[in-house]
Amino acid sequence: MNPKFQLAEGIEVKDLSGIHEAFSIKREKEGYYSFQINVSSPNIIKVFRELAADVNGPGFFLLEVGSPEETEKQLRKKDSDPFHKDVYYLDGKDWKDISPIIIRYQYLLSQDGGVNIGFGSHSGHDEVFVSAYKIFHIYADEPSKYIETLQKLGFKEVDSLRTVWDNFTIDSPGRRNVLTHAKPNIWDMIENLKKDGFYFAERRED
């Protein structure tokens, strides 16, 4: 175990060996750069807010959450079939418009294992995304601004970042849990934001 790296409340991982806060970068064949970042749970909101502030506006707020149980019963015909996630967007916003949402729902967004979030520009590759197991990703045409912010936050670059996915085995799997006890919970949040233009966009395989 790694006592220094903390998982979100809704995430279970048995083996944290080799997992620490750091980032790696690679250039994709399309020409843009992709980052992968390990962020300890107490730092998730601060790091997301600092990185998202670097995104060129106007942009979109993205939220992914597991599809409802009744929907999964209809879509999954056998145990090997994939689960699904519902994707929601709030478009045409600058970071100053989205930041209050992140602050208001910070416990839910940082600790619920079933929630992924992102903020991205409507132009080019310029997006910060927090994926499954709260692993951060950045997609950028201009990586220098993100490198500067990460270094300011105390993150070091490594050639190859080890994430919790590298530690999963049949005997040591991971688990993501929805915080159904949270008040508000993720479904309350979605309903609250609909009046501001938050909308369901699509259902994807998880």
Side-chain angles (χ1 to χ4, degrees), residues 72-88:
E72 292 289 16
K73 287 179 180 178
Q74 296 173 13
L75 294 175
R76 301 182 71 242
K77 305 304 182 185
K78 54 185 185 295
D79 290 344
S80 59
D81 286 347
F83 286 93
H84 300 80
K85 56 190 175 185
D86 290 357
V87 185
Y88 294 83

Side-chain angles (χ1 to χ4, degrees), residues 94 104 135 157-158 171 182 193:
D94 290 319
R104 179 181 178 187
I135 297 170
E157 183 180 353
V158 295
D171 297 325
L193 291 178

Side-chain angles (χ1 to χ4, degrees), residues 33-92:
Y33 295 81
S34 63
F35 294 60
Q36 201 171 35
I37 313 158
N38 282 337
V39 181
S40 189
S41 174
N43 302 324
I44 287 173
I45 294 299
K46 176 179 175 59
V47 172
F48 183 78
R49 292 182 67 210
E50 292 280 349
L51 292 173
D54 289 336
V55 173
N56 295 324
F60 58 87
F61 173 55
L62 157 69
L63 185 143
E64 297 178 345
V65 64
S67 299
E69 184 177 356
E70 288 303 313
T71 300
E72 292 289 16
K73 287 179 180 178
Q74 296 173 13
L75 294 175
R76 301 182 71 242
K77 305 304 182 185
K78 54 185 185 295
D79 290 344
S80 59
D81 286 347
F83 286 93
H84 300 80
K85 56 190 175 185
D86 290 357
V87 185
Y88 294 83
Y89 286 97
L90 185 58
D91 294 329

Side-chain angles (χ1 to χ4, degrees), residues 43-161:
N43 302 324
I44 287 173
I45 294 299
K46 176 179 175 59
V47 172
F48 183 78
R49 292 182 67 210
E50 292 280 349
L51 292 173
D54 289 336
V55 173
N56 295 324
F60 58 87
F61 173 55
L62 157 69
L63 185 143
E64 297 178 345
V65 64
S67 299
E69 184 177 356
E70 288 303 313
T71 300
E72 292 289 16
K73 287 179 180 178
Q74 296 173 13
L75 294 175
R76 301 182 71 242
K77 305 304 182 185
K78 54 185 185 295
D79 290 344
S80 59
D81 286 347
F83 286 93
H84 300 80
K85 56 190 175 185
D86 290 357
V87 185
Y88 294 83
Y89 286 97
L90 185 58
D91 294 329
K93 302 295 183 180
D94 290 319
W95 173 241
K96 65 178 175 58
D97 304 312
I98 302 302
S99 182
I101 297 174
I102 304 303
I103 294 171
R104 179 181 178 187
Y105 297 103
Q106 58 183 301
Y107 168 71
L108 193 61
L109 299 179
S110 65
Q111 300 304 312
D112 193 310
V115 175
N116 305 331
I117 61 171
F119 183 64
S121 175
H122 284 306
S123 59
H125 296 93
D126 194 17
E127 179 181 353
V128 179
F129 180 62
V130 184
S131 70
Y133 295 97
K134 304 303 182 187
I135 297 170
F136 278 56
H137 302 267
I138 299 172
Y139 310 101
D141 294 321
E142 305 170 12
S144 58
K145 60 183 179 181
Y146 295 112
I147 295 172
E148 182 178 343
T149 297
L150 285 166
Q151 290 175 340
K152 182 183 71 175
L153 290 168
F155 286 78
K156 293 184 178 180
E157 183 180 353
V158 295
D159 290 335
S160 180
L161 184 71

